[in-house]
Amino acid sequence: MKAGPDISRIAALVGDPARCNMLTALMTGRALTASELAQEAGITPQTASSHLSKLEAGGLIEPEKQGRHRYYRLSDPDVADVLEGLQGIAARAGHMRVRTGPKDPALRRARICYDHLAGDLGVQMLDSMKRQKLVRQSKQAIELTGEGRRFMAEELQIDADALTHPRRPVCKACLDWSERRHHLAGTLGAAMMDRFTELKWAARDATPGSRVVNFSRNGEKRFAALFGTDQ
Amino acid sequence: MKAGPDISRIAALVGDPARCNMLTALMTGRALTASELAQEAGITPQTASSHLSKLEAGGLIEPEKQGRHRYYRLSDPDVADVLEGLQGIAARAGHMRVRTGPKDPALRRARICYDHLAGDLGVQMLDSMKRQKLVRQSKQAIELTGEGRRFMAEELQIDADALTHPRRPVCKACLDWSERRHHLAGTLGAAMMDRFTELKWAARDATPGSRVVNFSRNGEKRFAALFGTDQ
DNA sequence: TTCATAGTTCGATGATAGCCGAAGCATCGA
DNA sequence: TCGATGCTTCGGCTATCATCGAACTATGAA
């Protein structure tokens, strides 16, 4: 029987409808939690967990632990390429399948992640801070630079020395829900979000349970001045 | 459950080890018969038949009927591309699988297909004949031109008019086993092979059951003069 | 015609694997 | 410290599907 379980094993992983739904949901590049993927595939969390470990063992997806969540993303662009190729063949052979549309745009723009800023603006902020050399990042570890301390004191009246906490880091990279990149968590991330609120640059949406963050017109301008894409 | 049987269905086809073995065997571009594919996959012909119809229904392979044989080939280069992509992922994730080596090179070079010449030289001969406008081909139908009739009479002492047969065409395109292209069958193909033998340009290998055709040094030269790649 | 070979169809069998309920960890928030 | 939430593990059920033996069709050879 030739012992040939290699490429077929990978293909079999994609061959299950539930797993395939998960993979196509990940094709946008976003990282999704196990529960979200379960819902996407229309199965219970138990079943999803089993599928996800198989996909991980097969090297198709990679996990990133984030508190009590577990984010999964495609492990490599090549995986997305193969999936697209399969879609091409499937489209030629049969009927096209339309994927689910984009989620609530306000959520993607700016929202609360625990106690800090996430979404498009959150990612943009961390990017800008790295460009301005306010922080140094290596993997998940982020460190405030001397320049960064000055910046926080002068621009946002935040005393970096007061941010140390027994069980929580000052800076932490947090995987973004809507983007596939990181935003800033930790006590600094929380303090900055607090300051934005105090300065009335931004406010959490009034709707109970909503995680949306609304920026005022002035707040948006000030925010862009500090962390705009051209900074 | 979302009703999503599209890309996963294609992937599931590749996901079965037996089918996967067949597909990888076809990745060389060669077309293979159902029995050969069964042997390649290590399964019985019944099982292979079932698999082949599924692969065909999925649009991954295409059949070409050839007498009592049924040749299968990959339906599109895209299919080979996806398979290669899967191999890449599989290679990264686990252990590489080494495929079976190339078959007997003498068989690929020149052999008997029923009663006419096949293999590299057979394909080359038909190509050359088309280039020299000795025959006209449209799909599987091949027709000898006036020029072709003269050529056969002068160069090979073959009377085309004597080749008509109640149940067999004079010219026929026959799918080559080792190449993926056609060579010349029909009564003309048989007559030409007979003439090559009579002229001692070529002879069937002495080994019983062997389909190899050996060309003499002189025969190879004369053959090349008539049907060489530069003709 | 008759026999042999290539391929298919049918039916029964058996193993794989997806699925969920229940229970168990781990982390967060108060 | 306690409850809530996200996720995993375990056990049993069920459906799917690959597999092969047997019988059938079609083509080629004698």
Side-chain angles (χ1 to χ4, degrees):
Chain A
M1 204 69 61
K2 278 212 161 173
D6 227 21
I7 153 172
S8 71
R9 183 170 291 174
I10 302 293
L13 287 175
V14 188
D16 178 76
R19 282 193 296 256
C20 187
N21 282 333
M22 294 177 171
L23 290 172
T24 38
L26 291 173
M27 273 188 71
T28 61
R30 298 201 328 238
L32 298 176
T33 66
S35 320
E36 286 168 334
L37 288 168
Q39 191 183 2
E40 196 74 34
I43 51 180
T44 60
Q46 311 93 292
T47 310
S49 179
S50 159
H51 284 313
L52 288 170
S53 31
K54 283 171 189 169
L55 287 172
E56 185 185 344
L60 294 180
I61 61 175
E62 275 177 356
E64 180 166 346
K65 213 175 164 191
Q66 191 66 247
R68 52 183 167 183
H69 295 277
R70 222 177 140 87
Y71 282 88
Y72 286 96
R73 65 173 74 181
L74 296 185
S75 64
D76 196 287
D78 292 355
V79 177
D81 290 346
V82 169
L83 291 174
E84 269 188 41
L86 282 169
Q87 281 183 338
I89 295 176
R92 197 185 315 131
H95 12 241
M96 192 68 162
R97 163 138 179 251
V98 205
R99 283 298 312 159
T100 64
K103 307 279 180 168
D104 181 16
L107 260 185
R108 303 185 61 119
R109 173 76 174 158
R111 67 176 175 278
I112 283 292
C113 175
Y114 299 106
D115 54 6
H116 54 268
L117 184 64
D120 193 31
L121 290 181
V123 169
Q124 177 184 318
M125 185 175 82
L126 180 56
D127 279 349
S128 173
M129 288 171 70
K130 285 192 277 191
R131 259 200 315 279
Q132 297 180 64
K133 306 230 189 306
L134 308 181
V135 292
R136 259 193 303 273
Q137 177 172 19
S138 63
K139 282 266 181 189
Q140 292 226 355
I142 297 190
E143 201 182 3
L144 200 57
T145 64
E147 178 91 25
R149 291 174 177 273
R150 272 193 300 278
F151 179 96
M152 291 301 154
E154 290 174 15
E155 304 290 345
L156 294 171
Q157 293 79 49
I158 292 177
D159 179 8
D161 295 328
L163 295 177
T164 52
H165 186 276
R167 288 196 332 229
R168 197 178 175 195
V170 175
C171 295
K172 184 159 183 263
C174 181
L175 186 64
D176 201 274
W177 180 80
S178 56
E179 311 291 316
R180 57 178 161 184
R181 295 154 69 196
H182 290 111
H183 55 245
L184 182 66
T187 55
L188 176 60
M192 289 176 76
M193 184 62 215
D194 282 347
R195 179 59 86 223
F196 295 156
T197 309
E198 284 178 21
L199 293 170
K200 302 232 187 306
W201 291 6
R204 296 193 54 166
D205 196 282
T207 319
S210 170
R211 297 156 61 209
V212 172
V213 170
N214 298 306
F215 271 69
S216 68
R217 181 168 305 180
N218 179 48
E220 195 146 3
K221 208 187 298 176
R222 306 288 295 271
F223 182 89
L226 294 182
F227 307 111
T229 49
D230 52 339
Q231 303 302 316
Chain B
M1 205 69 60
K2 280 215 158 171
D6 228 21
I7 152 172
S8 71
R9 184 170 288 174
I10 302 293
L13 287 174
V14 188
D16 178 76
R19 283 192 293 258
C20 185
N21 282 333
M22 295 177 170
L23 289 172
T24 39
L26 291 174
M27 272 189 72
T28 61
R30 299 198 329 237
L32 299 175
T33 66
S35 321
E36 286 167 335
L37 288 169
Q39 191 183 3
E40 195 74 33
I43 51 180
T44 59
Q46 311 96 293
T47 310
S49 179
S50 159
H51 285 313
L52 288 170
S53 28
K54 284 172 189 168
L55 287 173
E56 185 185 344
L60 294 180
I61 61 175
E62 274 176 357
E64 180 166 345
K65 212 175 166 191
Q66 191 65 249
R68 53 181 167 182
H69 295 277
R70 222 175 140 88
Y71 282 88
Y72 285 97
R73 66 174 73 184
L74 296 185
S75 64
D76 195 289
D78 292 355
V79 176
D81 290 346
V82 169
L83 292 174
E84 270 188 42
L86 282 169
Q87 281 182 338
I89 295 177
R92 196 186 316 131
H95 11 243
M96 190 68 161
R97 163 135 182 253
V98 206
R99 283 297 311 158
T100 64
K103 306 280 179 168
D104 182 14
L107 259 185
R108 302 186 61 119
R109 174 75 174 159
R111 66 175 174 278
I112 283 291
C113 174
Y114 298 106
D115 54 5
H116 54 269
L117 183 65
D120 192 32
L121 291 181
V123 170
Q124 177 185 319
M125 184 176 82
L126 179 56
D127 279 349
S128 173
M129 288 171 71
K130 285 191 279 189
R131 258 200 315 278
Q132 297 180 65
K133 306 227 188 308
L134 309 181
V135 292
R136 259 193 304 272
Q137 178 172 16
S138 63
K139 281 266 178 188
Q140 292 225 355
I142 297 190
E143 201 182 3
L144 201 57
T145 63
E147 177 92 26
R149 291 176 176 274
R150 273 193 299 278
F151 179 96
M152 290 299 154
E154 291 175 15
E155 304 289 346
L156 293 171
Q157 292 80 49
I158 292 177
D159 180 7
D161 295 328
L163 294 177
T164 52
H165 186 276
R167 288 198 331 228
R168 196 178 175 194
V170 175
C171 295
K172 183 158 184 261
C174 180
L175 186 64
D176 202 275
W177 181 80
S178 57
E179 311 291 317
R180 57 179 161 183
R181 296 154 68 197
H182 290 111
H183 56 244
L184 182 67
T187 54
L188 176 59
M192 288 176 77
M193 183 64 214
D194 282 346
R195 179 60 87 222
F196 295 156
T197 309
E198 283 177 22
L199 293 170
K200 302 235 187 304
W201 290 6
R204 296 193 53 166
D205 196 282
T207 318
S210 170
R211 297 155 61 209
V212 171
V213 170
N214 297 306
F215 271 70
S216 69
R217 181 166 306 178
N218 180 48
E220 193 145 5
K221 209 186 298 176
R222 306 286 296 269
F223 182 88
L226 295 182
F227 307 111
T229 50
D230 52 338
Q231 303 302 313

